[in-house]
Every structure is written in C-alpha cells, then in structure tokens.
Amino acid sequence: MSDQRTLGIIGSGNIGGAIARFAVNAGLNVVLSNSRGPDTLAGLVKELGPLARAATPAEAGAAGDWVVVSIPLKHHHQVPVAPLAGKVVLDTTNYYPERDGSIPELDAEQVTTSELLQRHLPDSKVVKAFNNIWVNHLVALARPSGAPDRTVLPIAGDSAEAKAAASELIDLLGYDTYDAGTLAESWRFQRDTPAYVGVYFKNQQEMTADDPGGPANAEQIRTALAAARRP
C-alpha cells in the first residue's frame, strides 16, 4: 500500500457519508458510490473536498484499500464481486424484514447477515462493523486515538488478518474495536440485542432522538455481547 491510501464506499447514505467524512479528515482518499450514479454524489464530493471523488460501485471497490458496504441488505447481491476480490470489506448491513422482505435463512437464524455477504463475495474478506451504532452517535462519539473517552465498536470476521486491517481503518476514523469473534457470532450485535444502538445512548432509559450519545468502553461492549440471547 502507498502512504496515500484509499477507502472505497459502496452505498453513500447516512452511515457511508459519515464514514467518508471521517476518512477525509484522517487524510485518506475516498471513492464514493451509490446505486443512482456518480452524478448524484456531486454535492457530497464537493463538501468533502479534493480527497473525495464519485464513481460506480465497481470502480469504488477496485480503488479501495478497504471497502465499506453500506446498503440495504436486500440489495447485497448487487455488490460487485470481481473488483472486491482479495479486499477487506466492512459490512454495515442490518436485517429489517419490513424493508428487506423476508429472508428465510435469517428468519431461521441459520446464517448471519455478514455470512450472506461473504457467500456473495467468496474471494473477499468480510468484517462486520459499524452496524450497531446510530449515525448521530457515530458522528458524535469519534475521538482521537488514545483519548480517555474513546468509544469501542465491535467487529466480527473469519480472518484475523482482515480484522486487524479493519481495526486499523476504524482507529483512523476515531474508534477502538472489540473482537466479537467470527461472522457466525456477529448476531451478538445485530438488531434487538444489548449491543445494538442502545449501548451508545447517554440516557439508556429514555433513548430519545436528541440524545447526545455516550462513550462505551471495551468492558461495556464485552458485557453487552455476552448478554445477547437468541429466541
């Protein structure tokens, strides 16, 4: 890798856009993409400045030293396969049946969302990340490396090398990481678990839309992951 590394982003909505801002602030090149075409990202690219450009999903995937996939789960089959071969792919997806339609394997808890993406990208190394934090809190809680109130995000993946690479990126973006295990264990921080969203609220009893967010350390994340139960 050159000193000037690149983050490819497939899906430039709320989470993808926030990650892009962190990446530019960290001095990374960013290649943004979405399903509607590069022209629709002109405003965001202008806001981000000269380190950012827009492209197609295939081009963003090919350009990235890391690639973030942040799209509705129902569209995961549209993620380009060949350009992502050999890449570390950070998967932010969550399963919302009311949006994604029913996916029987997920309903039966036979696989996790990231295992579905890994199956679609057999030559990539998928790491689950960024799926368990509300975007407002993601923006609010980023801190420089070593800050005493730095927040921890769980990650999961089947490759130790890929998880190390993902942790390096996440560190640059403003967060520490906690290794939650394999992709099969990533259900522990999926929707409706103790480690999903609520752990980052300052007021965890109220959890209102104007909550400013509160840092969560490694012990809090470990405890929340351990408390996860399947029905």
Side-chain angles (χ1 to χ4, degrees):
M1 292 183 185
S2 68
D3 289 339
Q4 190 66 43
R5 290 179 289 180
T6 298
L7 176 62
I9 298 180
I10 298 174
S12 301
N14 290 336
I15 293 290
I19 291 171
R21 291 180 179 88
F22 291 150
V24 165
N25 289 340
L28 299 175
N29 290 317
V30 175
V31 182
L32 298 146
S33 68
N34 63 17
S35 62
R36 296 177 293 132
D39 291 348
T40 65
L41 294 167
L44 180 56
V45 168
K46 182 178 180 181
E47 174 192 336
L48 293 173
L51 291 179
R53 65 182 177 90
T56 66
E59 290 165 343
D65 294 304
W66 310 267
V67 181
V68 170
V69 172
S70 188
I71 61 175
L73 182 64
K74 64 182 177 181
H75 297 315
H76 79 278
H77 287 298
Q78 298 176 17
V79 175
V81 176
L84 273 63
K87 308 266 184 175
V88 174
V89 177
L90 284 75
D91 169 34
T92 81
T93 61
N94 286 301
Y95 177 40
Y96 293 93
E98 61 272 24
R99 177 198 65 190
D100 300 314
S102 177
I103 301 175
E105 287 177 292
L106 292 176
D107 294 336
E109 298 182 338
Q110 296 169 338
V111 297
T112 62
T113 55
S114 289
E115 285 179 303
L116 286 181
L117 184 62
Q118 181 67 82
R119 186 188 300 172
H120 175 67
L121 301 172
D123 298 319
S124 303
K125 297 175 181 178
V126 173
V127 177
K128 192 70 169 183
F130 292 113
N131 69 297
N132 75 314
I133 185 168
W134 186 35
V135 66
N136 291 24
H137 292 163
L138 179 65
V139 171
L141 295 176
R143 298 288 187 275
S145 182
D149 61 344
R150 208 177 203 215
T151 285
V152 174
L153 299 177
I155 61 171
D158 295 339
S159 163
E161 178 186 8
K163 285 189 282 190
S167 293
E168 179 190 9
L169 172 65
I170 294 168
D171 175 58
L172 290 172
L173 302 184
Y175 287 87
D176 289 339
T177 55
Y178 184 93
D179 188 345
T182 64
L183 294 180
E185 289 294 308
S186 64
W187 67 269
R188 292 186 177 275
F189 53 103
Q190 69 185 14
R191 184 182 182 186
D192 298 328
T193 61
Y196 184 80
V197 178
V199 71
Y200 302 110
F201 273 74
K202 183 175 183 179
N203 186 342
Q204 297 185 11
Q205 284 69 47
E206 296 289 337
M207 291 198 290
T208 58
D210 60 352
D211 185 278
N217 62 31
E219 180 58 24
Q220 288 171 292
I221 296 300
R222 185 198 68 78
T223 299
L225 292 169
R229 298 289 183 269
R230 281 177 155 167

